[in-house]
């Protein structure tokens, strides 16, 4: 059974930093791309960042230069380091792994950035 357990997040002032972690179990972690999505209030879910099995990364334009996605295959963990946070980064954040055509999600973590 694939499980993604998230930690981190919380409330921070604009300009601050937060770190989100996603620990996976029940999956061959090292071979799968890991994605971070977010659900902003009253908006559609958007893909924030991806790291593939080789370590290559991609980001949505609004977070480039501020967010960093990384992975530790030995610990089956992916991290989203968020800096220079803005109020518009407020959202519930989810990590995601896709395996055999099925999507698996973490439980979600609230990130709130106050102005």
């Amino acid at each position: 059974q694939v499980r993604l357990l998230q930690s981190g997040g919380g409330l921070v002032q604009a300009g601050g930093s937060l770190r989100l972690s996603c620990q996976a179990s029940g999956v061959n972690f090292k071979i799968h791309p890991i994605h971070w999505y977010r659900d902003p209030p009253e908006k559609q879910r958007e893909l924030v960042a991806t790291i593939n099995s080789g370590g290559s990364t991609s980001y949505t334009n609004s977070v480039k230069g501020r967010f960093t996605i990384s992975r530790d295959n030995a610990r089956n963990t992916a991290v989203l380091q968020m800096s220079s946070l803005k109020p518009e980064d407020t959202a519930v954040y989810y990590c995601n792994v896709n395996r055999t055509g099925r999507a698996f999600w973490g439980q979600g973590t609230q990130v709130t950035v106050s102005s």
Side-chain angles (χ1 to χ4, degrees):
Q1 182 179 2
V2 179
R3 291 187 176 179
L4 302 176
L5 181 63
Q6 295 179 220
S7 61
L11 173 63
V12 66
Q13 289 188 332
S17 299
L18 286 173
R19 182 178 184 268
L20 304 181
S21 293
C22 175
Q23 183 163 28
S25 60
V27 62
N28 189 0
F29 181 81
K30 64 183 179 182
I31 70 171
H32 294 284
I34 308 298
H35 312 280
W36 284 97
Y37 285 80
R38 65 186 179 188
D39 284 352
E42 301 180 1
K43 294 183 180 179
Q44 289 187 329
R45 181 169 294 186
E46 66 172 339
L47 176 61
V48 175
T50 295
I51 184 166
N52 69 17
S53 58
S56 296
T57 60
S58 61
Y59 302 90
T60 191
N61 285 339
S62 62
V63 308
K64 285 181 180 177
R66 301 188 298 118
F67 289 14
T68 302
I69 187 172
S70 60
R71 65 191 299 160
D72 182 343
N73 291 334
R75 292 181 169 84
N76 284 4
T77 299
V79 170
L80 185 68
Q81 179 67 46
M82 305 181 292
S83 303
S84 302
L85 283 161
K86 303 176 181 180
E88 51 264 44
D89 295 317
T90 295
V92 179
Y93 285 72
Y94 297 89
C95 59
N96 162 262
V97 170
N98 298 305
R99 192 189 76 171
T100 60
R102 182 178 172 185
F104 296 90
W105 299 91
Q107 79 275 22
T109 301
Q110 178 68 48
V111 171
T112 302
V113 185
S114 62
S115 56

